[in-house]
């Protein structure tokens, strides 16, 4: 995935479209007779939060496509000058979906522009996405992230170069599982990519109609992965959770850019039951209490990152494709219970030869096989991690030894091999019955200040 990069940047793109959309049907009980964009979080309409962010991140011009109760939006925003922006509001005479108005007004738009849905609370550096979009010469860039409800989200798949290869719009079939890679509804669009649909009448939806067609037509669609704050307020529960985030100071542009502590997690024997060497997704079985433990750690400000040795690849006992399926299922099962991981890092190597069917190219001594610290270093390079407040949780002595080498505090769990492998002499900082107990140890640790 394309990761966030830290660099000073000049505004590249200055035009933002906000799709204010229809009535907040699912919010009617809490929002009353308001367009979704005017529902408040922290006492301010979501739209105001968006306009303030836009002004802060180098946007100059905003086009709002408004349908339901557009006059209320007009009355609130006016010409945008009080936000330091030039704002144009177009009122849809009939509902055009979130893409219809853009298609009908394509010739009024610049060569590249942002699109954001009107029901999003976000603290996102828009110019950083624009930089990626321009540098990679994408036709369409969409921000993606894992969330706590993948089962009812529109999902994408991307290749190792971040190009989107498939789109899965919800509802999802009950018998399949997908990576928790959610279309976050923040786009950068090259105008000409939409040319085939320019001026078309009718209702069009970016996620359901346009993005799947663009991918099918082979357009260069870039997945931009970010863990900056972004949440839709489309249901009473999500609105309530955004309100709680606001009160706790979690929706802040500056906080989005700050490094955060992580819990590094071993996989087999820690998250899921060790069944020999796990080779197939159908055999994955999570320990009870894993998802709630991960939820409470995340709630306290930790990133959650899996570091796993998978010598089964080097030994030819499973394939990269099957391993990917195992991880899709892992993400899917966690997602059913409101938990998600930030990333999974895998060492595919194994040092000793002599297995039938082994893959010579992976039979090497590497820095990434735990207790080597290569996977951890890669994670720290990709994500902003406050290593000094981070922890390692695992069931093997190699996890504890890796933690010692990297200067992380460690918890040995009594699941899996429970430290009985005896390969390394490292002593853990704590011992806990399982991951849920480990989470309690970490959250009660003296001196821990949630990020
Ligand atoms: Zn390795």
């Amino acid at each position: 995935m394309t990761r966030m990069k830290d660099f000073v940047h000049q505004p590249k793109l200055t035009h933002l479209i906000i799709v204010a959309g229809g009535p907040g049907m699912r919010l009617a009980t809490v929002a009353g007779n308001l367009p979704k964009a005017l529902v408040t979080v922290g006492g301010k309409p979501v739209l105001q939060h968006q306009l303030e962010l836009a002004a802060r991140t180098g946007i100059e011009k905003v086009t709002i496509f408004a349908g339901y109760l557009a006059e209320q939006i007009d009355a609130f925003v006016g010409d945008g000058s009080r936000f330091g922006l030039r704002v144009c509001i177009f009122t849809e005479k009939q509902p055009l979906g979130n893409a219809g108005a853009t298609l009908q007004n394509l010739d009024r738009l610049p060569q590249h522009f942002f699109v954001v849905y009107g029901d999003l609370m976000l603290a996102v550096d828009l110019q950083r996405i624009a930089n990626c979009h321009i540098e990679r010469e994408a036709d369409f860039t969409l921000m993606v992230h894992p969330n706590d409800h993948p089962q009812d989200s529109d999902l994408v798949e991307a290749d190792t170069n971040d190009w989107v290869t498939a789109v899965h719009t919800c509802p999802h079939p009950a018998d399949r599982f997908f990576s928790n890679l959610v279309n976050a509804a923040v786009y950068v669009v090259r105008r000409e990519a939409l040319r085939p649909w320019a001026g078309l009448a009718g209702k069009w939806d970016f996620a359901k109609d346009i993005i799947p067609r663009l991918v099918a037509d082979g357009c260069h669609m870039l997945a931009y992965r970010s863990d900056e704050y972004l949440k839709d307020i489309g249901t009473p529960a999500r609105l309530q959770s955004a309100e709680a985030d606001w009160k706790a100071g979690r929706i802040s542009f500056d906080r989005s850019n700050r490094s955060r502590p992580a819990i590094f997690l071993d996989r087999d024997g820690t998250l899921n039951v060790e069944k020999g060497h796990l080779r197939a997704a159908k055999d994955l079985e999570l320990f009870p209490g894993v998802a709630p433990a991960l939820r409470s750690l995340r709630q306290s400000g930790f990133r959650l990152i899996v570091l796993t040795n998978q010598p089964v690849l080097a030994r030819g006992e499973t394939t990269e494709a099957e391993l990917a399926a195992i991880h899709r299922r892992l993400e899917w099962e966690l997602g059913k219970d409101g938990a998600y991981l930030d990333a999974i890092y895998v060492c595919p190597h194994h040092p000793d030869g002599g297995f039938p069917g082994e893959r010579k190219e992976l039979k090497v001594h590497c820095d990434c096989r735990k207790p080597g610290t290569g996977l951890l270093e890669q994670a720290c390079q990709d994500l902003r991690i406050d290593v000094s407040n981070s922890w390692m949780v695992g069931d093997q002595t190699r996890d504890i030894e890796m933690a010692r080498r990297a200067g992380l505090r460690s918890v040995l769990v009594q699941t899996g091999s429970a430290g009985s492998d005896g390969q390394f002499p490292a002593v853990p900082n704590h011992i806990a019955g399982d991951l849920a107990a480990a989470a309690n140890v970490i959250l009660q640790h003296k001196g821990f200040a949630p990020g």
Side-chain angles (χ1 to χ4, degrees), residues 416-449:
S417 62
S420 66
D421 54 277
Q423 297 203 49
F424 297 92
V427 178
N429 295 96
H430 302 270
I431 295 176
D434 59 9
L435 184 68
N440 287 334
V441 166
I442 291 166
L443 295 176
Q444 285 162 18
H445 184 75
K446 255 201 321 194
F448 169 67

Side-chain angles (χ1 to χ4, degrees), residues 311 314 349-353 362-366 369:
H349 306 114
H350 192 258
D352 313 319
L362 297 177
K363 284 289 181 181
V364 293
H365 288 271
C366 65
R369 179 172 163 80

